[in-house]
Amino acid sequence: QAQLVESGGGSVQAGGSLKLSCVYSESIYGDYCVGWFRQVAGKERDWVAGIDNSGRIGYADPVKGRFTISIDNAKNTLYLQLNSLKPEDTGMYLCAADLGKRTFCSGGHCSRSCAYDDYKYWGHGTQVTVSS
């Protein structure tokens, strides 16, 4: 079973930056999604960003233009660069991986997306705290 280990979290002031890393124990082949989620105590887990095996990238609206997801398959590592951090970005950031591909349809248009929650493999998370 694949294991994922996150690192890079910390405490920063608003406007600061962090770079999160997620090392996964096995190379991933075929169709997959890997992504980052944020969990705040007492709230639902939020999808933040994802990337699939074709290199297609997606971001949640609140982080567009500030966060950048990338992957280095040679190093089995997923990254999330967090810039222009805001207090509302505070939370536990978890990386996750899922096999296969999902298609979502809206208004008669269907497309593949990594923006869903029930990934198969999860890390334990790294805490990000942003103070004002």
Side-chain angles (χ1 to χ4, degrees):
Q1 181 165 334
Q3 294 183 347
L4 298 89
V5 180
E6 304 92 336
S7 63
S11 296
V12 297
Q13 290 190 328
S17 298
L18 287 171
K19 187 171 185 177
L20 308 183
S21 299
C22 171
V23 178
Y24 38 96
S25 60
E26 305 176 7
S27 296
I28 306 174
Y29 301 100
D31 293 324
Y32 64 80
C33 279
V34 286
W36 289 95
F37 294 76
R38 179 175 60 240
Q39 178 76 63
V40 177
K43 296 185 178 181
E44 291 187 359
R45 182 170 57 204
D46 293 325
W47 176 82
V48 174
I51 184 170
D52 68 23
N53 55 287
S54 69
R56 183 182 297 107
I57 290 174
Y59 297 97
D61 286 344
V63 307
K64 285 181 179 177
R66 300 188 298 122
F67 292 6
T68 303
I69 189 172
S70 60
I71 190 169
D72 186 339
N73 282 319
K75 296 182 178 179
N76 284 6
T77 303
L78 179 70
Y79 301 99
L80 186 68
Q81 177 69 45
L82 295 74
N83 295 330
S84 301
L85 281 161
K86 303 176 181 180
E88 52 263 43
D89 295 321
T90 294
M92 183 71 75
Y93 282 72
L94 303 97
C95 72
D98 198 34
L99 303 178
K101 56 182 177 181
R102 303 225 186 150
T103 301
F104 298 86
C105 300
S106 176
H109 175 71
C110 299
S111 60
R112 184 182 176 188
S113 174
C114 291
Y116 58 93
D117 186 70
D118 56 331
Y119 282 42
K120 185 174 183 178
Y121 304 106
W122 291 86
H124 293 291
T126 184
Q127 178 69 33
V128 171
T129 302
V130 185
S131 58
S132 58

